[in-house]
Amino acid sequence: MCAGFFSRFTRPKPHIVESPPPPAITHGPGMQMPEYRNKPYFIVASVEMGNTTTKCILTGVSLETGMSYVINKTVSMSRDIRKPKPGETIFGATLDGTELTRESVTELVRDTLVRCHKEAHLDIGKDLDFVVRSTGVVAEMESPDQVGDFVIALANGCLMAGVPPRKMTPPMSKANQPEKLQPFSFADKVVFIGAVAGVVPPVGSTGVEMVANEMEGELAMAGIKEGAKWTPVDFRNPCVSVDFGTTLDGRITSDVASDDPNPFAKTVGNFCGLAGAIPDAIVRGTGLVDNRTGTALDIFGEHSVAGGLFSGGNRKVIDGFVDRCHEHIDIRIVPSDRDRFGRVPVNARLAAESGIAMIGCDCGVNSSDLEKLVEIGAEIHRNYNMATLNEVVDRVCARMALRLIDVAVEKNLVPQNASIGFTGRAAISGRKPEYILEGITERNLFDDPNDHLVFVDDGLARGAALMGRCMNSLGKPRNPIGGVRGGPCIMSRRIRIGK
């Protein structure tokens, strides 16, 4: 029996972080109460409307340990948003064509936020400390005005749910913070300058964002950094953070010398384009989901699966389908003459002028070849079984992830001390983490690849909690998230800069 047979059982398992529930305190037989009701916790609501799902995720950060826990999660399908009413102005649509108005988005956000708190038995006015809003639907926006409408609709939804405006903006001083936060706050010693998780956002010469879903990339990076705290991986700068939601976003951050007076890393790369929309197209070809709004999530779910003895079909057949899919998938540095890549609005010229590597993923030109993937999906379903379809989807997504990393490597953006992190359904579900780890190992980027790679669920929600902490200067020097891999906390350097 060959050594390869046994390697199936001895190869390292990828580090996959799934949201842990908050610990409970026992008050006697059968009497348990969540720790966040008795101990100091910073409770953050992440409200995110994406092209596929709309979520409100409540996270509680223990101010004593700095660790985050998911208190409750409310998820609905964005395609189920109510239809526009007469007199309402349609300002945009999701990738699948679901039409949006400011009023419908406001109501969806309000209802999701209220329901999430009700399920957790929490009061929005009393228990909630901060709200962070984000969206990936900007991929279909045509102008900054439309993006502005969406941002206003998200904010209005929070206000209608009863969130005070002060819980959506950074406090002006430590004295403006709630009493329970003040003992843990460094707001009197450091100034919030916009850096989240020790990284300064990319700003071009005009101050215009280089990619429409920039904030999602920032939150995903912060969320992966927080999630990695549950693993042995030291996921601090320099790092590559990739969010494989329906659309693609993420960041690449720079290394920082230990003697550099500026302790913050710079953003040296951005990801944009299509991600989960690609496996969604393959699945729509089967006829098992709606041919316009159906997703891979509807069939395969969003949880990772440990590999078994068999991988679900003839490997030669599977590789053939994967190769055919990737003939239509375009992954490269976004050309400077493109104002969209994978349907996401970009300013590629500004990125090039600013020295930012903008790495994009498209299918044809602005998703023009998605129908080709639908045809491939139909062929798989017609001639093979669901196990083959599942395996093709997992391997197509894993190769997309690896091709993105290959482009970053070609641009010398993945040094030996870098870490790579993924979040989003098209990277952490099924056996994709296993296949991505195999690919990273084959590339010999690190001595111990598994010590440099992590997969995190709910990256945006974790990132929202971390962004709230950064805005409120709730750092944890003994358990730092800022700084470089293997290095100390950067709080002391930030305090020196403030002086």
Side-chain angles (χ1 to χ4, degrees), residues 108-125:
L108 179 63
V109 169
R110 176 200 64 195
D111 295 345
T112 306
L113 195 57
V114 169
R115 193 170 109 219
C116 190
H117 282 78
K118 188 175 180 180
E119 291 170 351
H121 305 290
L122 290 175
D123 185 280
I124 291 177

Side-chain angles (χ1 to χ4, degrees), residues 226-255:
E226 189 284 321
K229 286 295 178 184
W230 296 95
T231 74
V233 180
D234 186 352
F235 195 86
R236 291 186 290 162
N237 303 314
C239 61
V240 180
S241 308
V242 190
D243 179 10
F244 260 54
T246 304
T247 52
L248 173 69
D249 58 78
R251 277 184 175 180
I252 304 175
T253 68
S254 67
D255 201 355

